[in-house]
Amino acid sequence: MIDFFENPIQNILDHQKIAIRKKQALFLTKQDKKHEEIKTVGVRLQMEAMQLGFVFTNEALNSLLNETTVLKKEILNLFSQLTGANNIYRPFYENFPSEVLDQDDSVLYFNAILHYLSQGIWRLPYLKKNRVDLPLKDIEYKIIDLINVNDYLVLFENLLSSVSSISKDDMKSLEFFIRDFDSETLKKFLPKQIVFKEILCSFFGLCLLYEKNDLLENFELKTSTDILRVATFISGGDISLTTNTKFKLKRKVRKYLINNLEKVIIIEDIKRHEKKWKRLFHCLHIGEYKNAKKCNQIADLLRNEKLRTNNYIIEQALLELDFEKLMEFVPQNSGEFARRLDHLLRVFDENKANKILETFNNKISKISSKVLYQLLAHFRVRNNNQENIMHKELLDFRTRVIMPKGDVGKVKILKSKLPAISQIIVNNIINVIKQELLNRYKDLGNLGKVWISPSLKNAPIPLQMRSSSEGLKVIQRGTRLPIKKDKNILRFFVHWIGFDIDLSACFLTKDFLLYSQIAYFNLKGNDYKAVHSGDITYAPAPNGACEFIDIDLSSIKDKKIRYITLDVRVYSGPSFKYQNANVGWMFRDKLADEGEIFDARTVNQRISITNESQKTCLVAAFDILKNEIIWLDLKGSSSCLVSGNNVLSNVTNIRELLKSTVDFKEISLYELFYFHANARGELVENKEDANTVFDEDMIFKYEEVLAKYI
C-alpha cells in the first residue's frame, strides 16, 4: 500500500494528477471532520476551485480539508496547470476583442510595425479597462469526486492490459504506480498477461529500475526484440525502436538481460535491428559472459556481417514472385503475414489469391485483435466500397494518413491508388475477420441488454495514442465532439515562453479550398466576425506571451465555409518543446469584453505541445455545418516558401491533412461495442432498458477500451 506520510509531496501530487486526469477524482483517504473552522476553510477552497472551473463533491472536499495546507494549495495548482491558468495572459491588445474591432486597419498596421522594429520589445501602454463579469450560464464546471485505492489501481491494471500504445503521460503513470506502491499491493492488480510488447518491456524496465523483480514472476520476455526494448527503456531511449539509443546499463541489469537473451535469441530478431544490436552487444560486454554461447556466436556473426534471415528470403521471393517460397515462409509469423496480406493478394492471380485466403483463414486465430481491426478498417474500403461503413460519408479513399511510430508525431500522407482486388475475396476477408472477433468475444462475460450511444460512431478506436499530447483531455485523433448550440463564440488561445509562435485560423470550404484566414497578418474578418489579439514576436521568461482569436460562429453566413482549423506555428526560435507551448480553446456566449480574456472556467481543451522536432501543429478543426469539433493533434509541414512559417506558406499541407482525417476510415467505438453486443448480449434502442451502457464518456476512457474491449 502507498503511504502518503512517507512520500515527498511531489510523489503525492503525481498520483493526484493521474486521478484528476483519468477519473476526475482525488485519491485521498476518506475522512469527514465537520467542526466550524474546517467548514470555513472548505468554503474558501471550493470557491478557489470554482474559479478554475472545478467543483469538489462533499466527499472529496471533506477528505481534502483534512490534508496539509501545502497539499491543498498544490491540488489547486494542478487544476491551474490542466486548464492553462498557471500562465500569465497579457495579449498585445489587452482590451481584446473590442480594441481590435474598433481600431482602424492603418493603426493596427502601424502598431505592428513598431513592435517588429523593436525586435518584439515595444508594446502598447498598459491601459486595461474593467471587464464585466462572465455570466454563470457560460460556465460548465468539472466535478471532482473521491476515489478509493481499488478503483484507482484499476487504472494500473488497465494500462498494463492495453493492446496498443499508450500516451507518454500514461507511460509515466505506470512508473509512478511501480515507484510508490509496494509489490504485494500491485500484485493484486497485475493482469494475467501483458499483450502489447512496448508496455510489457516498459514494465520489465521499471521493475528492474525500482528493484521490484518479484512483480515479474508470471511474465517473460519471449524474443530478442523484447530484450532490446527493455535495454532501450532503461537507457532512456525510444521503446518503439524508431530512433537509435545510447545504451547505459548497470552490471546487474546487463547480467539479467544476457541470461534472458540466451534463452530466446534467434538470428531473425537480431538482423531486424542489427545496428542497434551492434551497439547493445558492445554495451552488454557480451564477451565477458562465456556461458552465453548462443549470444556470443550470433554477436560474432553480426560483427562479421554474416547474418542471413528469412526476411531476406521473403524479399527475394517477392521480387521473383516465387509463390511457393512465399507461402512457406511468410505465414510463419502471423502478424507479418497479416501486414503483407494486401500485397500478396494484389501481385498474384485469383487462383493463388484464393490459396492465400485459405492460409489466412487457418492462421487468423493467431493474429491479435488489434491487427484484425486494422485489417478490417483497410479492406472494407479497399475497393472504394462504402457498404461496410457505419458512419458513411467518406470523401476520398485514395488518400491515407500514416502515423509513424515513436516520438515523431508527424503524419505521412499517402495518395497512391492500390490496384483492385477481387471484391469476392475482399468480402471473404471482411466476413472471416468479423466472425473471428465475434468468436473471441463470446467467451467473455454476458452483457445482458446493451445500449450504445450513437455519438460513438464519431470516435475511432484508440490505436494511435503513443504521440498524443498531454492535456486536459486525451482522445483519439479523428474523434468528433459536439459543440453546444448555445455557444456562439469560439476563442482560440496559445501561450508560450521563448521567441515567436503564431496562432492562426483557416476557413475552408467543403472541398477543402482556402476561403480566408485570421492570422498575424490579417487581424479581422471581412464578411464574418472574427478577430486576432495581435502578433507578439518575443516572449521572454517568466511571463512569456499569448495570442487569442475570437470567431463568432453565428456570423458566418456564407455557405461556402465548412471548416475552421486551429493552427499553431513556430515562426522563429526552437521547436514547441523548448518554448513551453500550450494551446487550446474555450467557448463564450457573445463577442464582447465579458469576463477575463483567459478564464479557466470556460476552457474546453488545453494541450501542451511537446514534440522535440516539429514547428507546426494542426490542433483541431471545427465543422460548422455539423456543429462538431474534430480532434486532430497533427504535426504538419513547416514550409517557409512565401513569407516564413505561416498558414499561407502551408495551405496545401493543411488542406491535405484535414481532407485525410476529417472522415476517418478506422473502426469506430460504436462498431467495437456493436461486436460485443452481438457476441455477448442483446442490442436495445432505449438506454433505460439496458443492463450495460456504453455512453459517450467512453471516448475519454481509452485505456479501458484498450484493456477490456479490443
Side-chain angles (χ1 to χ4, degrees):
M1 181 64 187
I2 193 170
D3 190 341
F4 281 162
F5 297 102
E6 293 182 2
N7 281 272
I9 187 68
Q10 185 55 52
N11 290 21
I12 299 172
L13 287 171
D14 288 337
H15 290 283
Q16 300 310 322
K17 186 174 182 179
I18 295 169
I20 292 167
R21 191 167 54 86
K22 306 299 286 187
K23 291 289 190 178
Q24 279 201 196
L26 297 178
F27 173 48
L28 299 171
T29 304
K30 185 176 179 180
Q31 299 179 49
D32 194 3
K33 296 182 181 179
K34 295 186 177 179
H35 54 77
E36 290 304 314
E37 184 182 352
I38 290 286
K39 288 183 179 180
T40 303
V41 175
V43 171
R44 188 168 67 247
L45 193 61
Q46 187 73 283
M47 290 180 67
E48 290 185 59
M50 290 177 71
Q51 286 299 312
L52 297 167
F54 296 86
V55 172
F56 297 111
T57 63
N58 289 336
E59 195 175 39
L61 183 60
N62 288 333
S63 293
L64 183 58
L65 286 173
N66 292 282
E67 300 294 339
T68 65
T69 302
V70 173
L71 183 58
K72 294 186 188 81
K73 182 179 179 181
E74 292 300 331
I75 292 292
L76 293 174
N77 286 340
L78 282 178
F79 291 163
S80 293
Q81 292 168 22
L82 285 169
T83 58
N86 57 321
N87 297 313
I88 302 297
Y89 291 89
R90 186 190 165 198
F92 189 84
Y93 290 100
E94 301 197 44
N95 295 302
F96 172 84
S98 61
E99 190 175 2
V100 183
L101 289 169
D102 298 341
Q103 202 71 262
D104 187 80
D105 287 349
S106 61
V107 176
L108 297 174
Y109 178 79
F110 181 72
N111 289 339
I113 292 297
L114 289 178
H115 181 69
Y116 298 152
L117 291 175
S118 68
Q119 301 297 309
I121 295 173
W122 180 84
R123 300 280 296 271
L124 287 166
Y126 188 78
L127 296 170
K128 184 179 177 182
K129 299 176 183 176
N130 291 328
R131 302 176 76 92
V132 179
D133 289 338
L134 196 66
L136 289 177
K137 66 177 181 177
D138 275 12
I139 302 167
E140 185 176 332
Y141 292 102
K142 304 165 188 70
I143 308 299
I144 300 297
D145 206 346
L146 190 68
I147 191 173
N148 63 42
V149 65
N150 287 341
D151 288 342
Y152 181 60
L153 282 170
V154 167
L155 286 171
F156 172 68
E157 182 181 7
N158 285 344
L159 290 173
L160 284 179
S161 303
S162 172
V163 299
S164 188
S165 58
I166 59 177
S167 69
K168 289 181 182 179
D169 259 29
D170 286 335
M171 192 65 81
K172 200 71 180 172
S173 297
L174 275 181
E175 178 177 355
F176 297 152
F177 281 115
I178 294 169
R179 180 192 68 187
D180 296 328
F181 283 86
D182 65 76
S183 294
E184 291 308 309
T185 300
L186 291 178
K187 282 180 180 178
K188 298 173 185 175
F189 294 88
L190 288 176
K192 291 182 180 179
Q193 59 177 335
I194 303 175
V195 177
F196 193 60
K197 292 292 190 178
E198 291 179 22
I199 296 174
L200 173 70
C201 298
S202 298
F203 178 62
F204 266 81
L206 288 168
C207 291
L208 292 173
L209 285 171
Y210 289 101
E211 298 184 347
K212 294 186 177 179
N213 294 27
D214 55 327
L215 293 175
L216 303 175
E217 292 171 355
N218 297 322
F219 304 98
E220 59 181 334
L221 301 171
K222 296 181 178 180
T223 68
S224 309
T225 306
D226 290 347
I227 308 294
L228 177 61
R229 290 188 195 276
V230 175
T232 300
F233 179 87
I234 293 174
S235 302
D238 172 17
I239 199 167
S240 72
L241 305 180
T242 304
T243 58
N244 291 322
T245 299
K246 186 176 181 179
F247 294 104
K248 295 170 286 184
L249 302 170
K250 293 181 179 179
R251 185 174 183 82
K252 184 189 291 187
V253 174
R254 295 205 308 267
K255 184 178 179 180
Y256 179 89
L257 294 179
I258 290 171
N259 286 340
N260 279 274
L261 181 61
E262 182 69 11
K263 301 172 187 175
V264 299
I265 191 169
I266 58 172
I267 289 175
E268 280 75 14
D269 285 350
I270 304 301
K271 182 68 175 177
R272 190 175 292 116
H273 301 285
E274 57 180 315
K275 292 182 179 178
K276 293 179 176 63
W277 273 109
K278 285 180 180 178
R279 297 186 184 93
L280 181 55
F281 278 137
H282 179 75
C283 175
L284 290 171
H285 305 295
I286 193 70
E288 296 179 10
Y289 299 87
K290 303 299 182 184
N291 291 333
K293 294 181 180 180
K294 287 194 290 184
C295 290
N296 276 288
Q297 182 183 11
I298 291 177
D300 286 340
L301 290 172
L302 181 63
R303 280 192 293 269
N304 296 317
E305 299 185 353
K306 293 183 178 180
L307 291 181
R308 189 169 176 177
T309 66
N310 285 350
N311 196 55
Y312 173 82
I313 297 171
I314 291 170
E315 293 302 327
Q316 284 296 116
L318 277 172
L319 287 174
E320 298 167 5
L321 294 181
D322 188 334
F323 181 76
E324 299 301 328
K325 188 164 286 186
L326 284 169
M327 296 315 293
E328 177 185 353
F329 285 96
V330 175
Q332 291 179 13
N333 184 323
S334 299
E336 187 70 17
F337 179 40
R339 293 182 181 91
R340 290 182 182 268
L341 182 60
D342 190 295
H343 188 187
L344 293 171
L345 290 172
R346 68 177 182 262
V347 297
F348 290 107
D349 61 38
E350 194 165 332
N351 288 332
K352 288 186 172 65
N354 283 318
K355 293 180 180 179
I356 294 169
L357 182 59
E358 184 180 343
T359 305
F360 175 73
N361 292 347
N362 295 331
K363 291 287 182 179
I364 193 169
S365 62
K366 296 182 179 179
I367 300 172
S368 71
S369 297
K370 173 193 171 183
V371 174
L372 289 181
Y373 275 115
Q374 291 171 327
L375 278 178
L376 182 58
H378 170 74
F379 278 104
R380 67 179 184 170
V381 297
R382 179 57 176 78
N383 293 338
N384 293 9
N385 187 354
Q386 294 195 41
E387 289 180 7
N388 296 292
I389 305 293
M390 281 192 171
H391 42 279
K392 301 291 184 181
E393 202 188 338
L394 295 184
L395 300 175
D396 191 345
F397 293 91
R398 292 169 296 176
T399 304
R400 293 183 292 151
V401 169
I402 304 299
M403 202 74 61
K405 293 172 69 175
D407 299 330
V408 181
K410 183 179 180 181
V411 300
K412 295 182 183 296
I413 300 172
L414 304 181
K415 296 183 181 180
S416 58
K417 185 177 180 180
L418 297 174
I421 295 174
S422 165
Q423 190 60 44
I424 295 174
I425 289 176
V426 169
N427 289 340
N428 283 338
I429 292 171
I430 292 170
N431 292 333
V432 166
I433 293 173
K434 287 181 176 180
Q435 189 58 53
E436 174 64 23
L437 291 169
L438 288 171
N439 291 340
R440 292 182 186 187
Y441 296 150
K442 282 177 183 177
D443 296 332
L444 303 178
N446 189 278
L447 297 176
K449 294 181 178 180
V450 180
W451 182 83
I452 310 171
S453 170
S455 63
L456 296 179
K457 293 179 181 180
N458 294 326
I461 56 176
L463 296 179
Q464 297 175 325
M465 304 303 293
R466 182 186 291 107
S467 56
S468 297
S469 297
E470 178 275 330
L472 185 59
K473 304 168 186 173
V474 180
I475 53 180
Q476 171 67 18
R477 295 172 176 94
T479 298
R480 285 175 172 260
L481 301 169
I483 299 173
K484 292 200 170 179
K485 294 181 179 179
D486 61 337
K487 303 299 182 187
N488 292 319
I489 306 303
L490 179 58
R491 176 168 289 178
F492 298 161
F493 67 88
V494 65
H495 184 280
W496 74 99
I497 298 173
F499 294 89
D500 189 358
I501 287 180
D502 291 320
L503 178 68
S504 305
C506 288
F507 296 74
L508 297 102
T509 68
K510 66 177 183 178
D511 298 318
F512 306 101
L513 300 175
L514 183 66
Y515 181 90
S516 62
Q517 64 281 317
I518 297 294
Y520 68 87
F521 51 84
N522 184 41
L523 299 187
K524 291 190 285 187
N526 293 323
D527 49 355
Y528 50 82
K529 293 179 182 178
V531 57
H532 192 292
S533 65
D535 190 22
I536 297 178
T537 62
Y538 183 49
N543 292 340
C546 62
E547 293 181 8
F548 294 86
I549 292 176
D550 270 13
I551 302 167
D552 185 346
L553 298 176
S554 66
S555 72
I556 301 174
K557 305 299 183 185
D558 195 325
K559 301 294 185 182
K560 291 179 183 177
I561 300 175
R562 172 74 185 268
Y563 304 105
I564 304 170
T565 63
L566 167 50
D567 187 284
V568 185
R569 295 176 182 272
V570 176
Y571 190 90
S572 66
S575 63
F576 288 121
K577 179 177 180 179
Y578 304 103
Q579 300 204 56
N580 298 315
N582 283 271
V583 62
W585 64 85
M586 52 190 102
F587 291 108
R588 298 290 178 91
D589 191 47
K590 57 184 177 180
L591 193 65
D593 294 347
E594 286 185 341
E596 293 300 320
I597 297 175
F598 181 91
D599 191 321
R601 299 173 298 174
T602 64
V603 172
N604 186 263
Q605 174 64 309
R606 189 277 320 164
I607 64 167
S608 175
I609 313 176
T610 57
N611 192 269
E612 291 192 29
S613 60
Q614 293 303 304
K615 295 189 174 185
T616 297
C617 183
L618 193 61
V619 182
F622 299 81
D623 185 337
I624 61 174
L625 179 64
K626 292 188 174 181
N627 217 39
E628 293 174 335
I629 305 162
I630 308 169
W631 181 238
L632 300 176
D633 187 19
L634 299 174
K635 283 67 177 177
S637 70
S638 303
S639 171
C640 302
L641 293 176
V642 179
S643 54
N645 182 27
N646 59 32
V647 290
L648 281 183
S649 300
N650 294 275
V651 170
T652 301
N653 184 255
I654 293 170
R655 289 180 56 205
E656 293 294 343
L657 284 177
L658 184 59
K659 184 178 181 181
S660 302
T661 55
V662 72
D663 289 296
F664 63 86
K665 304 175 181 68
E666 296 90 344
I667 305 299
S668 69
L669 284 177
Y670 186 95
E671 291 167 291
L672 172 66
F673 297 134
Y674 187 83
F675 275 117
H676 281 273
N678 281 331
R680 305 166 61 191
E682 174 191 352
L683 194 66
V684 295
E685 294 184 1
N686 298 317
K687 185 176 181 180
E688 296 75 18
D689 299 331
N691 306 112
T692 303
V693 171
F694 294 111
D695 223 329
E696 55 268 13
D697 63 348
M698 293 303 297
I699 291 171
F700 307 106
K701 298 178 179 179
Y702 88 85
E703 73 288 338
E704 183 178 335
V705 172
L706 292 178
K708 296 181 178 180
Y709 298 106
I710 296 180

